[in-house]
Amino acid sequence: MKLTMKQHGFRIDLPHQTLDIDGNELFGIRPYQLMVSSIAGCSASVFRKVMEKQGLEIDDMEVLTEVERDEQDANRITKITLTYVVRGFHLDKGQLEKNLQLAHKNCSMVQTVKDCIEIEEHLEVIHLNHY
């Protein structure tokens, strides 16, 4: 990867998109947002793969994030709360929670930051009904 300076912030050209990075949201995605997106995206992807390998069919999934930062320590991220909202038919919440724990253990981004950022995960299951 190569970052190129622009008038505001930096730009990275990726194979399928261009990403502008800046501390000001008017000019690009903020670095802490990239960090949180990386952790949430990795964890959700691994969670999805685990469910697919088990043949679980979900209709939809969202991951809601909350971030706590320490203003006294360079505004560093101290805690990320990930809430997985899973929608589907015939879902077993206990099984999904086990799958989420497995995803946590196998997500490279979570494992990279686990000793310096608290990662808390919650699961909300929405059961859909056939009409």
Side-chain angles (χ1 to χ4, degrees), residues 43-99:
S43 185
S45 294
V46 175
F47 185 36
R48 183 177 184 175
K49 284 180 187 175
V50 169
M51 288 187 291
E52 287 173 351
K53 283 184 178 181
Q54 292 183 348
L56 299 176
E57 293 183 30
I58 63 167
D59 188 63
D60 186 39
M61 179 170 58
E62 295 175 323
V63 182
L64 309 173
T65 64
E66 293 178 41
V67 180
E68 293 180 23
R69 299 175 76 181
D70 184 349
E71 293 178 11
Q72 305 301 314
D73 189 9
N75 213 18
R76 75 178 188 89
I77 298 170
T78 57
K79 180 179 180 180
I80 299 172
T81 302
L82 305 172
T83 301
Y84 298 81
V85 182
V86 179
R87 294 174 187 83
F89 301 95
H90 313 292
L91 298 175
D92 179 337
K93 186 171 183 177
Q95 183 62 48
L96 291 174
E97 287 176 345
K98 288 179 186 176
N99 293 346

